[in-house]
Amino acid sequence: MEDLGPLFVAPHEPDRMGAFIAILAAVVIGAALIALARGRLPDALSYSVLLLAPLFSYLLGNLHLLEESKHVEFCGSCHETMSPIVEAMRSDTEYLSSLHYRSGAVPRDSACYRCHGGYGLQGDAEAKFAGLSHMLNTVTGNYGFPLQKAARFDISSCLDCHAQAAPFRAEETHRDPGIQTSLLAGEIGCAGLCHASAHPPEALLGAASWEASR
Amino acid sequence: MMARIAALLLVASQLILIWMALAPTGRSAIYFVMVGHPLVLVGSILGVIALQRRLSRERAERKATPDGRGTTT
C-alpha cells in the first residue's frame, strides 16, 4: 500500500496479552524441565506451577484466541481457502465486502468478523462454533470449491448498521412489506439479488484458481 | 516415570501455546485446540496422579518410622 505519511497509518496496539501468555508458558516449561532433571519439584511449587499454571495459561490462551480470531489476518492465514477472499476484499472491486472494507464502513482489523459474526452475544457464540467446525473441516479436508456458506447469512449484521441509516430507510424497495417479510424470514438475502455479491465468485474457488484468474 | 511423562506433555502443550500466542494463525489455532488441549489435560491428570501417589507414599513412610515423624533425610 502506498505510504502517504503517518496520518494514514492505523493505530496499532502491541499484543501484550500474547506476550504475557508466552512468558507464563515459558515459566511452566522451565519448572517442568527442572522437574524432569531433578525427578521432582518442591512441594509448594508442584501443584501451583506444574498443575495450575498450565491450565491457567490455556484458559488465557483460549481467551486470546477468541479475540485474535476476529482479525482479518487470522482469517486470511488459511491460505488455500480464505486468502483469496481477503485479497479480493482489499482489492478495488464492486463486490460488497470490498465496498465496505475500502470505504471504512467496517473495522479494518475485524472486517470479516463484523459481517460474519452475526449480531449480539448469540452471534458471537455462533461464529465461534462455526470457527471450530471450520477447523475440523480444514483438518479432515471436508470442504470443496466453490466455498459455500453452510447456514444462511444473518442479515442482522447488515441491519445493525443500516436499519437506522437515512439512505436505507429512504429506499422504496426496503419499505415494501413483502420484501421486508421475505428478508427477515431468510427467504431472500441482500447480496447477490438486489445488491452485488459479497465476494467475487473466483475468490471462492481456492487460492490456485484465484492466482490463475489474475 | 509418570511425573516425567506429565512434565513432557506439559512442556509440549506450553510450546504449542507459545506458538499460538505469538503467531495466532489458522494453523497454530488448529494445533492449539486439537493437540494442545489434549496434551495439557492428560499432562495435568497424570501430574495429579503422580503427586497423589508420591504424597501417599511419603505419608506411609512417615507412619512406618518408630516416632511417626519420618526420616530426617
Side-chain angles (χ1 to χ4, degrees):
Chain A
M1 192 173 280
E2 189 184 357
D3 182 14
L4 299 175
L7 188 64
F8 297 90
V9 178
H12 181 71
E13 271 195 41
D15 183 13
R16 293 192 184 91
M17 181 72 160
F20 176 74
I21 292 169
I23 291 169
L24 182 61
V27 169
V28 173
I29 289 174
L33 290 178
I34 290 172
L36 271 174
R38 285 186 177 178
R40 59 179 289 178
L41 269 186
D43 282 344
L45 281 176
S46 295
Y47 275 111
S48 55
V49 175
L50 257 186
L51 298 179
L52 295 181
L55 294 174
F56 181 62
S57 66
Y58 258 65
L59 173 68
L60 291 182
N62 278 298
L63 296 175
H64 184 59
L65 182 57
L66 284 178
E67 191 58 33
E68 288 297 320
S69 60
K70 294 177 181 176
H71 292 168
V72 171
E73 297 300 332
F74 182 90
C75 303
S77 68
C78 284
H79 175 73
E80 177 62 20
T81 50
M82 289 296 156
S83 62
I85 297 174
V86 170
E87 201 177 319
M89 180 178 71
R90 287 175 170 154
S91 309
D92 186 6
T93 68
E94 75 276 17
Y95 294 95
L96 281 189
S97 60
S98 176
L99 290 174
H100 282 78
Y101 184 81
R102 291 174 61 81
S103 66
V106 289
R108 281 190 94 73
D109 271 357
S110 54
C112 311
Y113 190 79
R114 183 66 191 88
C115 294
H116 287 278
Y119 179 71
L121 194 59
Q122 187 188 345
D124 285 346
E126 284 173 358
K128 297 306 175 188
F129 280 114
L132 272 178
S133 72
H134 289 173
M135 281 185 185
L136 274 174
N137 290 338
T138 304
V139 170
T140 58
N142 182 27
Y143 61 89
F145 297 112
L147 294 174
Q148 289 178 328
K149 206 172 177 314
R152 73 176 175 87
F153 186 84
D154 182 5
I155 64 163
S156 299
S157 296
C158 311
L159 296 176
D160 188 23
C161 295
H162 289 285
Q164 303 292 317
F168 180 84
R169 298 174 76 87
E171 172 57 45
E172 278 302 319
T173 316
H174 297 158
R175 295 184 176 203
D176 185 296
I179 295 280
Q180 290 187 14
T181 307
S182 299
L183 277 169
L184 293 174
E187 292 162 4
I188 58 172
C190 310
L193 193 65
C194 298
H195 300 279
S197 297
H199 308 285
E202 56 270 27
L204 304 175
L205 294 171
S209 298
W210 173 251
E211 291 298 329
S213 72
R214 307 191 78 213
Chain B
M1 184 63 183
M2 192 180 283
R4 286 179 189 275
I5 293 173
L8 279 175
L9 292 177
L10 290 175
V11 167
S13 72
Q14 299 302 303
L15 286 173
I16 291 173
L17 174 62
I18 290 176
W19 176 31
M20 189 283 295
L22 296 180
T25 61
R27 185 178 294 272
S28 65
I30 285 172
Y31 275 92
F32 172 69
V33 171
M34 297 188 175
V35 181
H37 280 76
L39 286 180
V40 80
L41 279 177
V42 174
S44 298
I45 290 168
L46 287 182
V48 168
I49 293 172
L51 266 174
Q52 291 295 341
R53 284 171 60 172
R54 199 187 83 199
L55 291 176
S56 60
R57 194 171 56 239
E58 286 175 354
R59 218 174 289 132
E61 283 172 1
R62 266 200 299 274
K63 276 184 186 167
T65 57
D67 60 359
R69 286 155 52 188
T71 59
T72 54
T73 55

